[in-house]
Amino acid sequence: MTAVRSPLFISNAKVFATGSQLNRPDVEARLREAVSRPLVTVVAGAGYGKTQAVYSFLQECRAIKIWIQITEFDNFSEKFWENLTGAVAVHNEALAAKLNSIRFPESPRQYEQFFALIKREMSSEPKYMIILDDFHLINSKPILRFVERTAAERTGNICLILISRTQPDINVIGLLSKGLVSQINEEHLRFSRDDTGRYFKMKGFSLAPQALADIYSGTGGWVFAIMLIELSLDNGAWNKEYALSAMRSNVFRLIESEVFAPSSAELQKFLVKLSLIDHLSPALLLELCGDESLITQMRKISSFIRFDAYTGVYRIHHLFLEYLRLRQDMLSDGEKKDIYIRAARWCAQGGNNMDAIVYFDKAGDYGGIAQCAYPLTRMTPSRVAKFLLDIFDKMPADAYRENTELTIIKIKLLQNLALFDEAEALAKAAAAEYEALPRTADNCWFLSECYLHLGYIGIYTALHTDVRDHTHYFKLGHDYHMMSGRISKGPRERTLISSYVSRVKYPANRGDLQRGIDEFARYAGYAITVKNGMMQGVVELAECEAAYFQSDIKKAEALAYQAIASAHDAEQFQVENRALFFLLRINLHMGNPERLRSVLEQLEAQLSNMEYLGGYTLYDITCGWFYAHIRQLDRVADWLKNDFEKSELNTLLYGLEKLVQAKCFLVNKKYYAALAALEGQNGMYGLEAFLLGKLEVSVLRAVCKYNAGD
């Protein structure tokens, strides 16, 4: 018996033939009907051809195909969003940029932004097919919720296809009852007896009916097992005892005998090296081996390794990958470290800093981690901050001594997680240690960073500690920075404004508000010099805020324009937004509709800057306050008109949304709902912890009670 071989590959139990594919009309018809709904689940164990079925169907499907190969690391919503937007960018860079600007939706407002965007951008033909392969690896509640809500929303011309070994942990029953989901399972994907015969005939084998019966009964239509038997047929005639017993007893043994052992020693080692990493880009593979001949040899193992045209990377069948990982003892520790470092550097060059950090950590290259993590940590999402902090906590003491940036990064991470006591203790201990060392350029830079971060920590904690030595720390930071000889340049750091600019606590003493502004004036100049414009415009903004609450409207207006002019050139987006907020309130007070329209246009224009992170949320809050005040609730974002208790907004930076929500309830004469919205604002960072917040909340609460007859 002879056979004419065509190259093929498997991915998650799917046989792909690069030259020819087995036509399965029944499966294709089922998929064609399934994609008329917003969600399709393709659920079966390993080896049932899930990916093959979807892949083959999509070849003839007129749609934009966005294929994402899921890994365990995608449980970080930031990484999942990065993969999704990267896949979207292949087809529509502008849409990917807009998705990046709103970030992964978790808060009600972010979901509203996301659904509005896809309704606007993805409603026309052709259909968008978003395929999430290996979805069983996802256990993140926010991502599961995102998939469920996207399907349930029925917004845009989108179909989500989940390829999974287990039933996805989403409310499939609820979606089924609404007719929003189609399900494809193992029974639908098994090869029938006829499929099995046609497959072998397609591969050039003419098998006797009994041989086909033996194969079908022995495999149960399991595509992967049928493929393995095909490999054994390529090496000789049909041998029922050999093929079926080997398949049943140990799939790895077949991989060993049919794939690994016949490969050259160089290819074997190269394949084992690939099992150390996740992202098999052609460019990275060439970087790792430096020899295209090895990649050419690898392609011949197309039964287990395929090139994914949707994502532009190679995929290794998961069973083959497990086998290769069992062979990692072929590599020395030095060889493993070399692969991790090469992969990390390649990821870092491509901007995939999280992947790079993981690989540098495996290699024990802490200097590499420092280079990647330093720009990540300013307002890093809390889940990522916790993940990074775990890595930092496990580092040996020598790593911190050899890479001083690591200490600064850890201080930032602790601040991000509001662990201010730990951050302060670490910064003070590090500064004390380096004060005793010679004043070298590097030591001065390190001292500068320690003191500047002590200043930042003081800004947040002063609201409760009454310790106000920020200027002292900022001056030390500035002086040591000048001694270091380093020049401030990008990436630019930006001021983050909390609910009130002046962090004066309630109750306050006479003159505290002005003393707070004077503090800004003393230390902001140091930060502007050292941090490339950070805090530019903050002093003018603080003075504007004070003048407004003291009813000096003309002075407040002039200062608001000064703050905008100062902040705009330095890209201090939040400072500019807050100054525009006061201009809204001022022109509303003065009854100037033309200027109000101009301010609203400026607020909207800010959103065009993709570096303005969190801009949509601040825009909604700012405009929401205005529209609630003039009783145009239909123009207030929906998330601000509903119960906000489940919001995940950072309490260190937000709070004014509570005033907007209460105003909306007040307009609708839901006085007790408004009072409920204002409850709990006397906490550590609630609105009533601030002097100005206490004033606004008290007045609004009084108005609600008066109208309620209380």
Side-chain angles (χ1 to χ4, degrees), residues 418 420-421 457-468 470 498 503-507 651-652 681-691:
F420 294 120
D421 289 344
I457 293 167
I459 291 175
Y460 280 108
T461 58
L463 190 64
H464 305 288
T465 64
D466 283 332
V467 177
R468 297 185 175 274
H470 316 338
S498 66
R503 302 182 65 83
V504 178
K505 75 173 185 177
Y506 176 84
T651 55
L652 294 175
Q681 289 305 304
N682 56 354
M684 181 168 285
Y685 294 104
L687 293 176
E688 292 183 277
F690 299 88
L691 168 63

Coordinates of all heavy atoms in Angstrom, one line a residue, residues 418 420-421 457-468 470 498 503-507 651-652 681-691:
A418 N -2.2 51.4 47.6 CA -2.6 52.2 48.8 C -1.9 51.6 50.1 O -2.4 51.8 51.2 CB -4.1 52.3 49.0
F420 N 0.5 52.7 51.9 CA 1.4 53.8 52.1 C 2.4 53.7 53.2 O 3.5 54.1 53.1 CB 0.5 55.1 52.3 CG -0.3 55.5 51.2 CD1 -1.7 55.5 51.3 CD2 0.3 55.8 49.9 CE1 -2.5 55.9 50.2 CE2 -0.5 56.2 48.9 CZ -1.9 56.2 49.0
D421 N 2.0 53.0 54.3 CA 2.9 52.8 55.4 C 4.1 52.0 55.0 O 5.3 52.3 55.3 CB 2.2 52.1 56.6 CG 1.2 53.0 57.3 OD1 1.3 54.2 57.1 OD2 0.4 52.5 58.0
I457 N 3.8 60.3 48.6 CA 3.1 59.6 49.7 C 2.5 60.6 50.7 O 1.3 60.5 51.1 CB 4.0 58.7 50.4 CG1 4.4 57.5 49.5 CG2 3.4 58.1 51.7 CD1 5.6 56.7 50.0
G458 N 3.3 61.7 51.0 CA 2.8 62.7 51.9 C 1.5 63.4 51.4 O 0.7 63.8 52.2
I459 N 1.5 63.6 50.1 CA 0.3 64.3 49.5 C -1.0 63.5 49.8 O -2.0 64.1 50.2 CB 0.5 64.5 48.0 CG1 1.6 65.5 47.7 CG2 -0.8 65.0 47.4 CD1 1.9 65.6 46.2
Y460 N -0.9 62.2 49.7 CA -2.1 61.4 50.0 C -2.4 61.2 51.5 O -3.5 61.3 51.9 CB -1.9 60.0 49.3 CG -2.2 60.0 47.8 CD1 -1.2 59.9 46.9 CD2 -3.5 60.1 47.4 CE1 -1.4 59.9 45.6 CE2 -3.8 60.1 46.0 CZ -2.7 60.0 45.1 OH -3.0 60.0 43.8
T461 N -1.3 61.0 52.2 CA -1.6 60.7 53.6 C -1.8 61.9 54.5 O -2.3 61.8 55.6 CB -0.4 59.9 54.2 OG1 0.8 60.7 54.1 CG2 -0.2 58.6 53.5
A462 N -1.4 63.1 54.0 CA -1.5 64.3 54.9 C -3.0 64.6 55.2 O -3.2 65.3 56.2 CB -0.9 65.5 54.1
L463 N -3.9 64.2 54.4 CA -5.3 64.4 54.7 C -5.7 63.8 56.0 O -6.6 64.3 56.7 CB -6.1 63.7 53.6 CG -7.6 64.0 53.5 CD1 -7.9 65.5 53.2 CD2 -8.3 63.2 52.5
H464 N -4.9 62.8 56.5 CA -5.3 62.2 57.8 C -4.2 62.3 58.9 O -4.5 62.1 60.0 CB -5.6 60.7 57.5 CG -6.7 60.6 56.5 ND1 -8.0 60.9 56.8 CD2 -6.6 60.1 55.2 CE1 -8.7 60.6 55.7 NE2 -7.9 60.2 54.7
T465 N -2.9 62.5 58.4 CA -1.9 62.5 59.4 C -1.5 63.9 59.9 O -0.9 64.0 61.0 CB -0.6 61.9 58.8 OG1 -0.2 62.8 57.7 CG2 -0.9 60.5 58.2
D466 N -1.9 65.0 59.2 CA -1.5 66.3 59.6 C 0.0 66.6 59.5 O 0.5 67.6 59.9 CB -2.0 66.7 61.0 CG -3.5 67.0 61.0 OD1 -4.0 67.5 59.9 OD2 -4.1 66.8 62.0
V467 N 0.7 65.6 58.9 CA 2.2 65.8 58.7 C 2.3 66.4 57.3 O 2.0 65.8 56.3 CB 2.9 64.4 58.8 CG1 4.4 64.6 58.5 CG2 2.7 63.8 60.1
R468 N 2.9 67.6 57.3 CA 3.0 68.3 56.0 C 4.4 68.7 55.7 O 4.8 69.9 55.8 CB 2.1 69.5 56.0 CG 0.6 69.1 56.1 CD -0.3 70.3 56.0 NE -1.7 69.9 56.1 CZ -2.4 69.5 55.0 NH1 -1.8 69.5 53.8 NH2 -3.7 69.1 55.1
H470 N 5.9 67.8 52.8 CA 6.1 67.5 51.4 C 7.2 68.4 50.8 O 8.0 67.9 50.0 CB 4.8 67.8 50.6 CG 3.6 67.3 51.2 ND1 3.5 66.3 52.2 CD2 2.3 67.7 51.0 CE1 2.3 66.1 52.6 NE2 1.5 66.9 51.9
S498 N -7.5 64.3 42.6 CA -8.5 63.6 43.3 C -9.8 64.5 43.3 O -9.9 65.4 42.5 CB -8.1 63.3 44.7 OG -7.9 64.5 45.5
R503 N -6.1 69.4 49.2 CA -6.4 68.2 50.1 C -6.4 68.7 51.6 O -5.6 68.3 52.4 CB -5.3 67.1 49.9 CG -5.3 66.7 48.4 CD -4.3 65.5 48.3 NE -4.7 64.3 49.0 CZ -5.5 63.4 48.5 NH1 -6.1 63.6 47.4 NH2 -5.8 62.4 49.3
V504 N -7.4 69.5 51.9 CA -7.6 70.1 53.2 C -8.7 69.3 53.8 O -9.8 69.2 53.3 CB -8.0 71.6 53.1 CG1 -8.2 72.1 54.5 CG2 -6.8 72.4 52.5
K505 N -8.4 68.7 55.0 CA -9.4 67.8 55.6 C -10.5 68.6 56.4 O -10.3 69.8 56.7 CB -8.7 66.8 56.6 CG -8.3 67.4 57.9 CD -7.8 66.3 58.8 CE -7.4 66.9 60.2 NZ -7.0 65.9 61.1
Y506 N -11.6 67.9 56.6 CA -12.6 68.4 57.5 C -12.6 67.7 58.8 O -12.5 66.5 58.8 CB -14.0 68.2 56.8 CG -15.1 68.7 57.7 CD1 -15.5 70.0 57.7 CD2 -15.8 67.8 58.5 CE1 -16.5 70.5 58.5 CE2 -16.8 68.2 59.3 CZ -17.2 69.6 59.3 OH -18.2 70.0 60.1
P507 N -12.8 68.4 59.9 CA -12.9 69.8 60.1 C -11.6 70.5 59.9 O -10.5 69.9 60.1 CB -13.4 70.0 61.5 CG -12.9 68.8 62.2 CD -12.9 67.7 61.2
T651 N -10.9 54.9 44.5 CA -11.4 55.9 45.5 C -10.4 57.0 45.7 O -10.7 58.1 46.2 CB -11.8 55.3 46.8 OG1 -10.7 54.5 47.3 CG2 -13.0 54.3 46.6
L652 N -9.1 56.8 45.5 CA -8.1 57.8 45.7 C -8.2 58.9 44.6 O -7.8 60.0 44.9 CB -6.7 57.2 45.5 CG -6.3 56.2 46.6 CD1 -4.9 55.6 46.3 CD2 -6.2 56.8 48.0
Q681 N -19.7 58.7 52.5 CA -18.7 59.6 52.0 C -17.8 60.2 53.1 O -17.0 61.1 52.8 CB -19.4 60.7 51.2 CG -20.0 60.2 49.9 CD -18.9 59.5 49.0 OE1 -17.9 60.1 48.7 NE2 -19.2 58.3 48.7
N682 N -18.0 59.7 54.3 CA -17.1 60.2 55.4 C -15.9 59.3 55.7 O -15.3 59.4 56.7 CB -18.0 60.5 56.7 CG -18.7 59.2 57.1 OD1 -18.6 58.2 56.4 ND2 -19.3 59.2 58.2
G683 N -15.7 58.4 54.8 CA -14.5 57.5 55.0 C -13.2 58.1 54.8 O -13.1 59.3 54.5
M684 N -12.2 57.3 54.8 CA -10.8 57.9 54.7 C -10.6 58.8 53.5 O -9.9 59.8 53.6 CB -9.8 56.7 54.7 CG -8.3 57.2 54.7 SD -7.2 55.9 55.0 CE -7.4 55.7 56.8
Y685 N -11.1 58.4 52.3 CA -10.9 59.2 51.1 C -12.3 59.5 50.5 O -12.4 59.9 49.3 CB -10.1 58.4 50.1 CG -8.7 58.2 50.6 CD1 -8.2 56.9 51.1 CD2 -7.8 59.2 50.6 CE1 -7.0 56.8 51.5 CE2 -6.5 59.1 51.1 CZ -6.1 57.8 51.5 OH -4.8 57.7 52.0
G686 N -13.4 59.5 51.3 CA -14.7 59.9 50.8 C -14.7 61.4 50.6 O -13.9 62.2 51.1
L687 N -15.8 61.9 50.0 CA -15.9 63.3 49.7 C -15.9 64.2 51.0 O -15.3 65.3 51.1 CB -17.3 63.6 49.0 CG -17.4 63.1 47.6 CD1 -18.7 63.3 47.0 CD2 -16.3 63.7 46.7
E688 N -16.5 63.7 52.1 CA -16.6 64.4 53.3 C -15.4 64.4 54.1 O -15.3 65.1 55.2 CB -17.8 63.9 54.1 CG -19.2 64.2 53.5 CD -20.3 63.8 54.4 OE1 -20.7 62.6 54.3 OE2 -20.9 64.6 55.1
A689 N -14.4 63.7 53.7 CA -13.1 63.8 54.3 C -12.4 65.1 54.0 O -11.5 65.6 54.7 CB -12.2 62.6 53.9
F690 N -12.8 65.7 52.9 CA -12.3 67.0 52.4 C -13.2 68.2 53.0 O -14.4 68.0 53.0 CB -12.2 67.1 50.9 CG -11.4 66.0 50.3 CD1 -11.9 64.8 49.9 CD2 -10.0 66.3 50.0 CE1 -11.1 63.8 49.3 CE2 -9.2 65.4 49.4 CZ -9.8 64.1 49.0
L691 N -12.5 69.3 53.3 CA -13.3 70.5 53.7 C -14.3 70.9 52.6 O -15.5 71.0 52.9 CB -12.4 71.6 53.9 CG -13.0 73.0 54.1 CD1 -13.9 73.0 55.3 CD2 -12.0 74.1 54.2

